[in-house]
Amino acid sequence: MAKLTSRNEDYSKWYNELVTKADLAESSGVRGCMVIKPYGYAIWEKMRDEMDRKFKETGHQNAYFPIFVPKSLFEAEEKNAEGFAKECAVVTHYRLKTDPENPQKLIVDPEAKLEEELIVRPTSEAIIWNTYKSWIQSYRDLPILINQWANVVRWEMRTRLFLRTAEFLWQEGHTAHSTREEAVEETEKMLEVYADFAENFMAIPVVRGVKTPSETFAGAEKTYCIEALMQDGKALQAGTSHFLAQNFSKAFDVKFTNKEGKLDYAWATSWGTSTRLMGALIMTHSDDLGLVLPPNLAPIQVVIVPIFKGEEQLAQISEQALNIVSKLKQKGISVKFDDDTQNKPGWKFAEYELKGVPIRIAMGARDLENKTVEIARRDTLTKETQPIDGIENYIENLLKTIQQDIYNKALNYRDEHITKVDTYEEFKRILEEKGGFISAHWDGTEEEEQRIKDETKATIRCIPLDSQPEEGVSLITGKPSKQRVLFAKAY
Amino acid sequence: MAKLTSRNEDYSKWYNELVTKADLAESSGVRGCMVIKPYGYAIWEKMRDEMDRKFKETGHQNAYFPIFVPKSLFEAEEKNAEGFAKECAVVTHYRLKTDPENPQKLIVDPEAKLEEELIVRPTSEAIIWNTYKSWIQSYRDLPILINQWANVVRWEMRTRLFLRTAEFLWQEGHTAHSTREEAVEETEKMLEVYADFAENFMAIPVVRGVKTPSETFAGAEKTYCIEALMQDGKALQAGTSHFLAQNFSKAFDVKFTNKEGKLDYAWATSWGTSTRLMGALIMTHSDDLGLVLPPNLAPIQVVIVPIFKGEEQLAQISEQALNIVSKLKQKGISVKFDDDTQNKPGWKFAEYELKGVPIRIAMGARDLENKTVEIARRDTLTKETQPIDGIENYIENLLKTIQQDIYNKALNYRDEHITKVDTYEEFKRILEEKGGFISAHWDGTEEEEQRIKDETKATIRCIPLDSQPEEGVSLITGKPSKQRVLFAKAY
C-alpha cells in the first residue's frame, strides 16, 4: 500500500487520497456527485443517528417532502430564489423515447415537456412552507417542529468529496412558531444542539456565532453558525441555524389566528447539517498515516490482530482473542478479530491505521504465555502491554479517554490558532504565516468585508456569541468598532 | 370529526380519506409527489429500522450512490432502459436566470444546457454497476453486499398516496457474486428476509413466488416476489428480489478473475421494498373507524385517557396514570397520557381509533376507587376491566397477543380468499363475486396471460414457490399445464 502524501507536502492532495484510500467516498460517473462507500456511510450513519436522537429529544419529528419544487413556488421567496438560482438542476421533461435515427439510443421525448419546470430541491423552505399553509390556521397548530433527512442538489462548478458536491445528504429542520421570541429561541436552541453534537460526539471544537449580513442565508433575517478549524488553518462551517422571521410565511401566505384572535404570519426557522461534516471530521483529526476517528464515530472501535507462526499458534491465539471479542461485545464495543491469513500483521497495522480504528490489540505467542496483550492507540500512536484479565474494563475506559484526548488536542490546536490582531499588516502576515481564526475589529460595512476578502481571501466567519464588547478601530477604514469578529480563509 | 366513508361503500375513497385523516400523508404542490407527514413517517421509520437490522444481520452494508444517471449509462442495459424510459424525469439544465422580460420571474437559462441529460434514478442498477466496475477485479473482491436507502422517481400518470407516487422512498439492495449459484441463493435469501419481515413484523401474510416472464423486472432473468392480499380482494406486490444473471455486468463490462484464474462476468441481484408497504399495511388491517396498527409498527402503542370531572379528579387520576406510564416505559412500551382538557374523552377515543393505537386505557373516578382500569383493544374493539396492580405485565403480553391476532385475522382472510378454479367461466365469476387470489392452470404463454388480463383485469401475481405439481388444462386454450399459478386483480 503506497503511503499517503503528507499534509505538509500537499494538504489538499492528502485529503483527497485519504478519502479514497480509506474507502470513505469516491467520485462517480456523474459530474460533481459522489459515491459514499460503505465505510464512509457507516460513519455518516452514526452521525445521523446521534443527531436524530437529539432532534427527537428536543421535541422534533421527522417527515418527508417532495424532491421537486415547481418553479413558481421556488421563486415565491425572492431572496431565497435569487440565492440559489445559479445552482439549480432543472427537470424539463418526463419521458425518453427511442431515437428514430438510431434505435439503439434513447432521446428525450420532445412531446413530454413539463408545463412547468421542476427544480431539484437545493433546500426545502419553499415546498415546505407551501405545505404548512394548509397545516396552520390557529396558534393551537403551532409550533410545528419538523426535520427531514434528504438529498439536495446544488450545481457547484468546483466540487470536492464531502466538502462540496453537486448532490449531498443532509438534514433540514423547518419549524413554525406563533411568536418572534419563540422562533429566535428555537434557532438558538438548535445551534446549541449542533455545537454539543460537534464537540461531544465528533470531538470537534466549534465557535458559536452569527453571520454578517453578506453571509446570511438567502431568505433569513439572521444566520447562526458553528465554525470549526481544520489543520491547515482554514475554517469550515459545520452547521447553520436560521431565523427566517416572517419571510417565508409572507411569501406563501401562511397566516394564523393568534391567542388574541388576530391574524398574524407565522414565524419560521430552518437549520441544517450535511455530509460536509465528514470533511470536517477528516480534516480535524486525521494525520499522515490516515484517519483518526473519535471512538463515538468509529464503525470498528477495536481491532485484534494475531501475530502467529503456523496454524497451531493461530488456533491458540484465536481462542483467547474470541474470548476478548465476546467480552467487549457485551459492553457494546464494536470489535473485529482479523484472522485473515493472506495479509501479514504489518500490512494489517497500516490498514487499520489508515481506517482510523481507535484501538489495536496485538496478540502473539509471548503474550499468550504472559497472559497479556499489546495495545496501540491510533490517536497517539503509543503502545503498552496490559494483562488480559480485566481487559474489557481497561478498553472501555481507554475509549472514553481517547474520545476526550482527541477533542482536547483539537481544542488546543484551535485555541492556539485564534490570533488577535489590530492592524491590517499584521492581519495579512498572520493569515499568511499561521492561518487560523483572526480576531479583529471591523467597521460593520459590507465594503470593508468585501475588500478584505478580495485582497486576502479571508472572510468574516462569524461574530462570536461569546465575544466581549471592546472599543477598537477597524482594520482598513479605521472606523470605530465595538466588538471583534473572527476572520479566516474557509472551505 | 366526520366519519370515514365505509369500506363497503367506496373502498378507494375510504383509503384516501384514511390516509389523510390519520395524518399519514397528503398530496403536495408537485404533481404525483406526496408529503409523508410525521405520523406516517414514524411508521415508515419503524419499518426501515427493522429491515435495516435484518439486512445488516445478513451481512449487508449501506452505501449511497448518485441520484442522477447520465443518459448514456442509463441506456447501457437495454431492457432495463426500455422498461423505465417512459417514466423518466430528465434534468436538462443546471441554472435559472432572471427573466429579461419580467425581472420578478426566473426562467431556465438556455446557456446552461447540460451536454448530456441526466435521468433522475427510477432504480439504480445502471449507476451502481458502473461503479462496481472499478471495485471488482478478483473473486476476492466478491461478494459485494450493498443496500441503499434512497428516493427514486418514476413518472406515473395516475398516482395514489403511498401506492403509486412519482417520487417514493425505498431501499434497493445490489449485490455482486462470483457464481450463478451464489447469486441465486442471495436472491432467494432476500425474498425470505422480506417475507419474514412482512409476516412477523407487519403482520401481513404473503405468498412467496416467482413472476412470469411478462412481469419480470426489466433487466432480470428471474423475479421473485411476495404478494399480499388487501381487504377488497386485490393483491399487492409487497417486495421483489431479482436475479439479474450477468445482464448488468455485461452491459457495464464488469469482469473478474475467478479462482481458476479465468476472466468471468460478475453475477448480480437486486431487491427492493418501498413506501408502498405503507399502503399494504393500511389496506390489510384497517377498518371503518380508521387505522389498525400491529403493535410493532405503532408509534404510540398505548394511550391513557382520563375520564374526569373537575381539576381535582384529574389530578388524582393523573397521579395513577403517570405511575402506569413510567412502568410501561420501563418495559420499552411507547405510551401517551392524553390529559388535554380541550377535547372530551369521546373525541379522544375516536381520534386514537382513527390513528390505530393498539391499546387504549381509560381511567375514571370509579376505576380509582376499585384500583382498576378499562382496557380497549383497537383490533377487536373489545373492552375489559383489569386491576392496576401488575398492569404493565398484562399490557406487555396483550401487545404480543394483538400482534399475533392481527396476523391470524389477515391470514384467515387471505386463506379464505384463495380459490381453486378449473374453468374460465368460474374464474370470471369468482373474480367478480369474491375476488382474492384465484389458483388456476395456465398454458405458460404470454398470449393466454395477456388475454385474461385484457378480458378480466386479472394478472398472474406469481407462480407460488410452494405449489405442488398437478396435471391440468389451462383456462382458455385448454393446453396441458403442470402447475397452478395465482391470478388476481392487483394494485
Side-chain angles (χ1 to χ4, degrees), chain A residues 61 84 93-94 127 130 180 219 249 251 295 298-299 327 330 371 384 443 456:
Chain A
Q61 293 180 297
F84 287 100
H93 292 74
Y94 59 85
I127 192 80
N130 184 57
R180 166 183 275 272
S249 60
K327 283 182 183 160
Q330 273 173 35
K371 298 184 178 163
E384 55 175 341
D443 72 3
T456 69

Side-chain angles (χ1 to χ4, degrees), chain A residues 1-16:
Chain A
M1 188 159 33
K3 273 194 177 175
L4 290 175
T5 297
S6 76
R7 288 166 294 172
N8 277 339
E9 202 182 322
D10 187 336
Y11 193 82
S12 169
K13 200 172 168 196
W14 165 82
Y15 175 81
N16 292 336

Side-chain angles (χ1 to χ4, degrees), chain A residues 5 52 56 115 161 175 201 219 296:
Chain A
T5 297
D52 198 67
K56 284 173 177 158
E115 279 180 39
L161 293 168
T175 70
F201 201 76
N296 283 345

Side-chain angles (χ1 to χ4, degrees), chain B residues 297-313:
Chain B
L297 287 170
I300 303 167
Q301 294 174 309
V302 178
V303 64
I304 306 179
V305 178
I307 321 277
F308 61 96
K309 283 183 190 147
E311 286 194 8
E312 197 185 332
Q313 247 186 36

Side-chain angles (χ1 to χ4, degrees), chain B residues 237-267:
Chain B
Q237 175 182 298
T240 46
S241 183
H242 314 295
F243 171 58
L244 304 174
Q246 295 175 316
N247 295 342
F248 284 90
S249 60
K250 284 180 179 167
F252 291 94
D253 195 34
V254 184
K255 280 184 276 205
F256 72 99
T257 312
N258 67 18
K259 277 189 185 166
E260 290 74 42
K262 288 181 190 161
L263 272 184
D264 195 6
Y265 289 102
W267 297 87

Side-chain angles (χ1 to χ4, degrees), chain A residues 87-100:
Chain A
E87 305 172 2
C88 285
V90 189
V91 175
T92 55
H93 292 74
Y94 59 85
R95 193 166 63 216
L96 299 176
K97 66 168 195 175
T98 305
D99 185 351

Side-chain angles (χ1 to χ4, degrees), chain A residues 45 62 64 71 106 167, chain B residues 45 62 64 71 92 106 167:
Chain A
E45 273 182 335
N62 288 329
Y64 189 77
K71 190 165 70 63
L106 293 169
E167 181 195 20
Chain B
E45 273 182 336
N62 288 328
Y64 189 77
K71 189 165 70 64
T92 55
L106 292 168
E167 181 195 20

Side-chain angles (χ1 to χ4, degrees), chain B residues 14-58:
Chain B
W14 165 81
Y15 175 81
N16 292 336
E17 284 182 11
L18 178 50
V19 170
T20 39
K21 288 194 178 177
D23 276 338
L24 300 175
E26 65 182 38
S27 296
S28 75
V30 192
R31 210 199 129 282
C33 292
M34 66 180 159
V35 172
I36 306 179
K37 299 180 78 173
Y39 194 64
Y41 200 85
I43 298 172
W44 171 244
E45 273 182 336
K46 285 183 185 285
M47 293 187 198
R48 186 196 63 187
D49 290 351
E50 175 66 9
M51 278 196 271
D52 198 67
R53 200 185 60 69
K54 282 177 177 288
F55 299 157
K56 284 174 177 158
E57 204 177 72
T58 45

